[in-house]
Amino acid sequence: MSKRRGKHPDKELNPAQIRSLKAPGRYPDGNGLYLVVDPSGAKRWLLRTVVNGKRRDMGLGGASLVSLAEARELAAQHRRAARDGRDPIAERQKATMVVPSFKEAALSVHAEYKHSWRNEKHASQWLNTLEQYAFPMIGDRAINTIESPDVIRVLSPIWLVKSETARRVRQRIGTVIDWAKAAGFRDGENPVSGATKGLPKQPDRKRHFKALAYADVPAFVEQLRSDGDHSASALAFEFMILTATRTNEVLGATWGEIDLDQSVWVIAASRMKANREHRVPLPARCLEILRAAKELGADSPYVFPGSKPKKPLSNMVFLMALRRMKVEATAHGFRSAFRDWSAEKTNFARDVCEMALAHTINDKVEAAYRRGDLFEKRRELMNAWAGYLGPSDAKVVPMRA
């Protein structure tokens, strides 16, 4: 149709016209309501209006199902909504939207996010905690009906007895509800924040790993060496102490990460807590341990293989060694001992000591300008630490567990 000129039409169409119109085009009734005749001959209603300053076209249904009077009434309703600052198109979509249950929403979040998590274990744990604690109580509930009392009901049984697990469940419920809000399935404040106010105060969150005083570590290392147990677990334990690294970093170490010629161990970002590659300088004693470990598991990709060559040692081996030696400490506590020693017995700068532990820089400005990893200074520090722990008096003779 050609564009009309002159006075804007008002209720221009009538039922007889609508039945007789055959030519494809758009026919105005007035106030933004049009009858559209498609090339196929099908007829439908279209409302053209302005929503939040933008022109929007909104279908109102086929002319065979929606009468002229009904189309005019629908158009009037939607124009009023637009004048009030609402979006009638979004409101209609929301009214016809199928709202998922909490379980369905959680599974969608898990599927979308799992590739961004550090490893499969974390992705599995994320879903397992919700399956165990949240799904039995709110899994079948529509995501837009869950409120603070429901979250409290999930968290109450474990809030004080399994504090860390409860905090993780709370955070994961909040993530699912934030996703639902972003997807348009619910409005308003996340009920998780209100639920926290209704729960009792948890014990102090600070956890201090039991650690030996740094002055006692050389004697511990000497005992570790002299017990005659030169198995992969004993070698791995000493290697962890010498490098001041974490348990999982040592147990997951592969020969592809080790450069014996350059005396360096490069841990991939995907295996680091801070998600950044970490280069570890290796003192001479570490090289001795690596040569012994190579004899133990020549065919394994892991530096410290377990009973099955294709798998690393269990993450319980260090705990069992400490119990066997009757030492009141944790494996992680040896990092604390290293940090205390470096602060009290050396003149190395704080940044060098922190980088040896692969700690991140909290100051964002400083982190933005820091490009190097102070590797050579850290090599001096780790050599000094190895010297403090004492040389190995005897040749390491590897023995299979």
Side-chain angles (χ1 to χ4, degrees):
M1 287 185 64
S2 61
K3 187 175 181 180
R4 289 183 61 96
R5 298 182 181 276
K7 186 178 179 181
H8 192 78
D10 181 34
K11 297 184 178 179
E12 182 158 311
L13 299 175
N14 60 61
Q17 281 180 295
I18 294 170
R19 286 192 298 271
S20 64
L21 287 170
K22 304 294 183 184
R26 194 173 60 208
Y27 300 87
D29 180 61
N31 296 311
L33 178 63
Y34 294 86
L35 175 72
V36 178
V37 180
D38 292 328
S40 64
K43 300 172 184 179
R44 55 191 172 85
W45 296 107
L46 175 73
L47 173 65
R48 173 163 286 183
T49 187
V50 176
V51 178
N52 296 324
K54 295 182 180 180
R55 193 178 74 180
R56 303 288 295 276
D57 289 348
M58 184 177 186
L60 301 181
S64 61
L65 297 175
V66 179
S67 68
L68 174 60
E70 290 171 333
R72 286 171 177 168
E73 177 59 29
L74 286 172
Q77 292 175 10
H78 294 318
R79 285 196 301 271
R80 284 194 294 270
R83 285 198 301 270
D84 292 340
R86 298 171 6 234
D87 186 341
I89 298 176
E91 288 182 355
R92 185 173 66 179
Q93 290 173 342
K94 188 172 181 179
T96 58
M97 186 181 292
V98 177
V99 178
S101 66
F102 178 85
K103 180 178 179 179
E104 291 168 337
L107 292 174
S108 296
V109 173
H110 182 257
E112 289 183 19
Y113 290 9
K114 68 179 180 180
H115 298 298
S116 65
W117 285 318
R118 184 174 291 117
N119 52 54
E120 291 184 6
K121 181 179 179 181
H122 178 70
S124 176
Q125 288 176 338
W126 193 93
L127 190 59
N128 288 344
T129 53
L130 292 179
E131 288 176 338
Q132 184 174 357
Y133 300 107
F135 289 179
M137 294 188 181
I138 60 174
D140 294 332
R141 293 275 302 278
I143 191 69
N144 62 346
T145 66
I146 294 171
E147 300 299 339
S148 294
D150 304 306
V151 179
I152 291 175
R153 193 158 53 91
V154 173
L155 297 177
S156 290
I158 57 173
W159 187 248
L160 296 178
V161 294
K162 296 182 178 179
S163 299
E164 186 60 31
T165 299
R167 283 191 290 268
R168 290 173 180 169
V169 172
R170 177 188 63 184
Q171 184 269 332
R172 289 160 191 174
I173 292 175
T175 298
V176 174
I177 292 177
D178 282 340
W179 174 89
K181 185 176 179 181
F185 293 121
R186 62 176 295 140
D187 297 313
E189 183 182 2
N190 192 318
V192 170
S193 58
T196 304
K197 299 173 184 176
L199 291 165
K201 184 178 179 181
Q202 287 183 325
D204 187 359
R205 287 188 61 177
K206 282 188 175 181
R207 289 191 304 159
H208 296 286
F209 293 97
K210 289 183 179 179
L212 287 180
Y214 67 81
D216 295 330
V217 178
F220 176 85
V221 171
E222 182 179 1
Q223 183 182 355
L224 195 64
R225 294 169 179 168
S226 64
D227 275 355
D229 178 15
H230 298 302
S231 62
S233 60
L235 295 174
F237 205 155
E238 185 180 351
F239 188 82
M240 184 195 70
I241 296 171
L242 284 162
T243 55
T245 48
R246 299 178 177 89
T247 298
N248 289 337
E249 293 161 8
V250 171
L251 298 183
T254 62
W255 288 108
E257 298 175 348
I258 305 292
D259 186 336
L260 291 173
D261 294 334
Q262 298 298 319
S263 302
V264 62
W265 170 27
V266 182
I267 311 175
S270 60
R271 295 211 307 113
M272 293 300 299
K273 183 177 181 180
N275 204 31
R276 291 183 58 185
E277 180 184 275
H278 183 48
R279 295 195 300 162
V280 183
L282 300 175
R285 173 58 185 161
C286 284
L287 300 181
E288 290 180 12
I289 291 173
L290 290 172
R291 284 191 286 269
K294 191 67 175 177
E295 292 183 36
L296 277 177
D299 298 328
S300 175
Y302 291 100
V303 176
F304 303 107
S307 56
K308 296 181 180 179
K310 300 303 180 183
K311 290 189 176 182
L313 286 167
S314 163
N315 58 9
M316 293 293 290
V317 293
F318 297 157
L319 175 61
M320 299 309 295
L322 289 164
R323 288 178 178 174
R324 187 171 60 251
M325 297 167 73
K326 298 181 179 180
V327 174
E328 290 290 326
T330 63
H332 196 89
F334 286 92
R335 283 167 55 85
S336 299
F338 165 79
R339 188 64 184 89
D340 291 342
W341 166 84
S342 63
E344 296 184 22
K345 302 295 286 186
T346 78
N347 293 322
F348 287 95
R350 179 182 182 278
D351 286 356
V352 176
C353 303
E354 288 295 301
M355 282 197 169
L357 292 167
H359 285 167
T360 55
I361 300 172
N362 292 326
D363 188 317
K364 293 183 178 179
V365 175
E366 182 183 355
Y369 283 94
R370 175 63 59 78
R371 292 291 183 267
D373 61 359
L374 306 176
F375 185 77
E376 292 305 322
K377 291 183 178 179
R378 288 193 291 114
R379 186 181 290 283
E380 294 177 20
L381 172 63
M382 303 318 292
N383 284 336
W385 173 239
Y388 176 75
L389 296 179
S392 177
D393 295 327
K395 181 176 182 288
V396 175
V397 180
M399 302 182 65
R400 296 193 178 276

